[in-house]
Amino acid sequence: DRSVMPGFRGHLIGGTVTYLAILQYIKFMQPSVPVIVSGFVFCIIGSLFPDIDIKSKGQKLFYSLALVVLCCFLYYERTDLFIGLSLLAIVPLLVKHRGLFHQLWFLIFVSITTGLVIGSFHSDFSVWAMKNALFFLAGAISHIVLDKVVTRLKYMFIRK
């Protein structure tokens, strides 16, 4: 029953708590303000990402960001990347909910691959891309964990 699953706000809270925990862990590294801000943004986006396979605010955000990135690819005449992202953007429409996008191996693959691809095209941003890929992954993992915890609680306390 979807009514007891965490929604948009629940996953935003989960992503924020995850981010704050990471920030406590890395504070000895004295991260810069841009790292702190971008890390938060990517953690929040990651916390919504697994639900892009259903009509959700996360899906709306994903396709809005994809549109901006696609326009940038066209502007910079990167038709290879434009075609690649266009094909990838179809995948959420073809899979079942809590399938592929809720698999840890897939989230790790998407995060690390995206960080590496961005780093390979813009070597000046490779460290930044990988840091943010890890923040994104942490947010996505928070989504999966929150779904599993709520599902377990549901079956413990709301048996039919």
Side-chain angles (χ1 to χ4, degrees):
D1 183 8
R2 178 94 177 117
S3 63
V4 295
M5 292 308 293
F8 177 74
R9 287 184 186 93
H11 286 302
L12 286 178
I13 291 168
T16 301
V17 169
T18 299
Y19 171 75
L20 292 173
I22 292 169
L23 201 55
Q24 283 301 309
Y25 183 72
I26 66 168
K27 69 180 177 186
F28 75 92
M29 296 180 199
Q30 299 177 334
S32 66
V33 172
V35 168
I36 291 170
V37 172
S38 67
F40 178 70
V41 169
F42 280 90
C43 198
I44 291 300
I45 292 170
S47 73
L48 300 176
F49 180 77
D51 280 345
I52 66 166
D53 56 5
I54 59 169
K55 190 167 180 69
S56 63
K57 290 187 174 142
Q59 186 184 65
K60 185 181 264 187
L61 176 65
F62 170 74
Y63 283 111
S64 297
L65 289 173
L67 178 62
V68 170
V69 172
L70 287 169
C71 289
C72 289
F73 288 161
L74 285 177
Y75 178 80
Y76 288 107
E77 299 178 1
R78 292 302 308 259
T79 53
D80 56 336
L81 296 176
F82 180 87
I83 291 168
L85 180 57
S86 296
L87 292 173
L88 288 174
I90 295 170
V91 173
L93 305 173
L94 302 175
V95 298
K96 68 179 184 124
H97 183 51
R98 295 212 177 84
L100 183 63
F101 289 91
H102 280 71
Q103 298 296 318
L104 183 59
W105 67 266
F106 178 76
L107 297 170
I108 292 169
F109 175 77
V110 166
S111 301
I112 301 304
T113 302
T114 302
L116 291 172
V117 167
I118 291 169
S120 72
F121 284 107
H122 302 286
S123 60
D124 294 344
F125 295 107
S126 61
V127 172
W128 176 88
M130 285 310 298
K131 284 179 185 177
N132 286 310
L134 294 174
F135 278 113
F136 175 89
L137 178 59
I141 291 170
S142 78
H143 181 110
I144 304 306
V145 169
L146 192 55
D147 278 358
K148 287 189 184 305
V149 166
V150 170
T151 299
R152 291 258 165 97
L153 291 174
K154 172 185 149 187
Y155 288 115
M156 287 173 56
F157 297 111
I158 310 175
R159 294 189 182 192
K160 293 184 180 184

